[in-house]
């Protein structure tokens, strides 16, 4: 299970690098922070239950953040 978080770290690093190359600095920084979080979590050697609960917590925070941003922050095109 720990390897999966390292794989997520590599994938978020790739997305962050592509965002940085495209000039999306805020998005790139967000994905670089996620990369550091996933890589650090991958080397903690927690139990499988801890990894699953951490991932669920991450997904809830990510979905709530995305929903808040898309509803209250983004301007709606008319």
């Amino acid at each position: 299970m720990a390897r999966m978080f390292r794989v997520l770290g590599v994938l978020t690093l790739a997305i962050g690098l592509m965002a940085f190359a495209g000039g999306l600095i805020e998005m790139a920084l967000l994905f670089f922070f996620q990369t550091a979080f996933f890589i650090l979590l991958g080397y903690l050697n927690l139990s499988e239950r801890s990894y699953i609960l951490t991932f669920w917590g991450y997904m809830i925070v990510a979905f709530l953040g995305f929903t808040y941003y898309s509803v209250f922050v983004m301007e709606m095109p008319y």
Side-chain angles (χ1 to χ4, degrees):
M1 191 60 131
R3 286 188 200 166
M4 195 62 224
F5 279 95
R6 288 183 230 153
V7 170
L8 285 171
V10 170
L11 292 175
T12 55
L13 177 63
I15 293 169
L17 289 173
M18 287 187 286
F20 187 71
L24 302 169
I25 303 300
E26 294 86 5
M27 179 181 166
L29 289 175
L30 177 66
F31 275 90
F32 291 151
F33 287 133
Q34 288 181 17
T35 298
F37 173 72
F38 285 138
I39 296 294
L40 175 73
L41 199 60
Y43 283 106
L44 286 180
N45 293 327
L46 301 173
S47 68
E48 186 171 347
R49 180 182 172 97
S50 297
Y51 279 122
I52 290 172
L53 290 174
T54 304
F55 185 70
W56 272 102
Y58 168 78
M59 292 305 292
I60 289 170
V61 169
F63 286 142
L64 286 175
F66 176 76
T67 303
Y68 174 81
Y69 182 80
S70 63
V71 171
F72 297 112
V73 177
M74 283 180 59
E75 294 183 15
M76 301 296 269
Y78 295 106

